Amino acid sequence: MLSQEMEKTVAELTAPSKGILAADESSGTIEKRLKSVDVSSTEEIRRGYRELLFTAPGLGDYISGVILFEETLKQKSAAGVPFPQLLSAQGIVPGIKVDKGTQPLANFPGDKVTHGLQGLAERLAGYKALGARFAKWRAVIAIGDGLPSTRAMEVNADSLARYAAICQELGIVPIVEPEVLMDGNHSIERCEAVTEEVLETVFHALYRHRVLLELMLLKPNMVLPGKDCPQQVTAEAIAVATLACFRRTVPAAVPGIHFLSGGQSDEAATANLNAMNSYRQAQPWQLSFSYGRALQAPALKAWHGVAANQAAGQRALLKRARLNSAARQGKYTAAMETG
């Protein structure tokens, strides 16, 4: 029964031409984003902003799922409809971020480990009762002098696998997110080498914890040069490096790879996804998106905290969702940005 629930969720989340909206910003992160448009971060402001996103007309044509923060999962629309129900009415699957953020890894300066496993099963059961059908856990891997350490990769991989196993035991589809950060001046070759080692370590851990690969999704970084690297590369080069790395490490049993944007610009995240879906060689997985800022930034700027701007904010969100839907199919062109 639980496997049938998860099969249905996976099928909906990997629906053709659709991707996932990450609206799971922590309290600190959403405060920074709202501050960038001179808006105070109160609970009512956060609720209203998320309602703007979730009620955009036709959002379900491009978005298959939304990752929520715990506060948002429990909130309701102005009309009193719980947000999970609001999303379901659009044909969108509600999900939940369940990790508790990162903390320094003792004795390994510069490395971090994600925490939140304590009490996770009980929290997940409560989230499922509120309507969440999938979950997300993010591990953070930095590249630098002596970074990442082998120990950091192992500890984070084990936590991701333990989280995924607990999710599946409860009938919740886990999104496994090992993010190799693009902060730094490292080359694309260095990013590829680290990403390959991280993914190899993660999938070994998933195997040890008996996680069913067919009933999970992967949310990784693309293989990119560091944002301070003097030698930036084309979308086609990013596609070649990313797909080569993933063919070496990600089993074909994984149904979908939903890339994170990881600090890329809106247009770059779309163009890079398009290049992968336009690649000459067919891939065994669905190649999609799970973007947060790269989907929301134009909407946030258009809305600016003004109720009268709600429709403008929704139009901005729908445009980015539509363009990423096109990239999901390998049909995006730069001309669509001004169309």
Side-chain angles (χ1 to χ4, degrees):
M1 179 63 179
L2 291 180
S3 63
Q4 291 177 347
E5 283 182 31
M6 289 187 284
E7 286 172 5
K8 183 175 185 293
T9 299
V10 166
E12 291 179 26
L13 289 174
T14 57
S17 78
K18 295 185 181 183
I20 295 171
L21 168 63
D24 59 333
E25 300 88 356
S26 66
S27 299
T29 300
I30 192 65
E31 183 176 8
K32 290 177 184 175
R33 293 193 179 167
L34 289 169
K35 188 177 180 180
S36 72
V37 291
D38 300 318
V39 177
S40 299
S41 180
T42 65
E43 182 177 355
E44 178 54 28
I45 287 289
R46 295 191 296 271
R47 189 209 62 76
Y49 171 61
R50 262 82 182 241
E51 181 173 356
L52 176 155
L53 300 176
F54 305 157
T55 57
L59 185 65
D61 293 341
Y62 314 114
I63 299 298
S64 59
V66 173
I67 309 171
L68 304 170
F69 190 57
E70 183 176 21
E71 175 188 73
T72 317
L73 181 70
K74 298 175 180 179
Q75 288 177 328
K76 299 179 180 180
S77 70
V81 181
F83 279 159
Q85 291 183 26
L86 202 67
L87 292 169
S88 296
Q90 285 240 52
I92 297 171
V93 182
I96 178 72
K97 170 189 174 178
V98 297
D99 69 72
K100 293 293 187 178
T102 61
Q103 57 190 21
L105 180 59
N107 293 331
F108 292 86
D111 282 323
K112 293 183 178 181
V113 63
T114 303
H115 63 108
L117 287 170
Q118 186 173 3
L120 178 58
E122 292 78 9
R123 287 193 290 123
L124 278 168
Y127 298 150
K128 186 175 183 181
L130 291 170
R133 294 169 52 193
F134 71 99
K136 190 206 80 168
W137 179 289
R138 175 180 179 247
V140 176
I141 305 293
I143 297 178
D145 292 337
L147 300 177
S149 68
T150 299
R151 186 59 181 154
M153 289 186 278
E154 291 172 344
V155 170
N156 278 296
D158 195 66
S159 294
L160 280 166
R162 290 172 65 192
Y163 139 80
I166 294 168
C167 283
Q168 290 187 344
E169 221 175 37
L170 294 169
I172 294 172
V173 171
I175 291 184
V176 173
E177 181 180 0
E179 179 180 3
V180 177
L181 299 174
M182 62 184 293
D183 298 331
N185 60 1
H186 53 271
S187 66
I188 189 172
E189 291 82 9
R190 174 72 172 139
C191 180
E192 183 175 359
V194 172
T195 300
E196 182 173 338
E197 189 172 1
V198 167
L199 290 174
E200 182 180 305
T201 307
V202 166
F203 279 100
H204 275 297
L206 291 168
Y207 174 78
R208 290 196 305 272
H209 285 269
R210 301 180 179 177
V211 173
L212 295 174
L213 302 186
E214 295 86 351
L215 299 178
M216 61 155 276
L217 297 171
L218 183 67
K219 180 175 177 176
N221 56 283
M222 298 177 189
V223 174
L224 304 159
K227 63 184 181 183
D228 297 325
C229 177
Q231 186 176 355
Q232 295 297 313
V233 299
T234 64
E236 289 69 27
I238 289 167
V240 169
T242 302
L243 294 176
C245 176
F246 282 53
R247 285 197 300 271
R248 298 185 197 112
T249 53
V250 181
V254 176
I257 297 175
H258 287 69
F259 289 100
L260 55 89
S261 52
Q264 301 176 70
S265 70
D266 313 337
E267 294 84 355
T270 306
N272 292 336
L273 178 64
N274 185 76
M276 281 185 268
N277 280 302
S278 304
Y279 194 68
R280 62 183 181 274
Q281 184 178 353
Q283 308 304 321
W285 335 271
Q286 295 289 320
L287 297 175
S288 188
F289 59 92
S290 178
Y291 295 164
R293 193 211 54 76
L295 275 171
Q296 293 186 45
L300 186 63
K301 186 176 180 181
W303 168 63
H304 222 89
V306 179
N309 293 339
Q310 177 166 318
Q314 291 178 331
R315 286 194 298 271
L317 171 65
L318 289 170
K319 177 179 179 179
R320 287 256 56 92
R322 176 174 54 82
L323 296 183
N324 282 295
S325 171
R328 167 92 161 79
Q329 304 168 73
K331 297 179 179 178
Y332 165 83
T333 64
M336 293 178 178
E337 295 289 347
T338 55

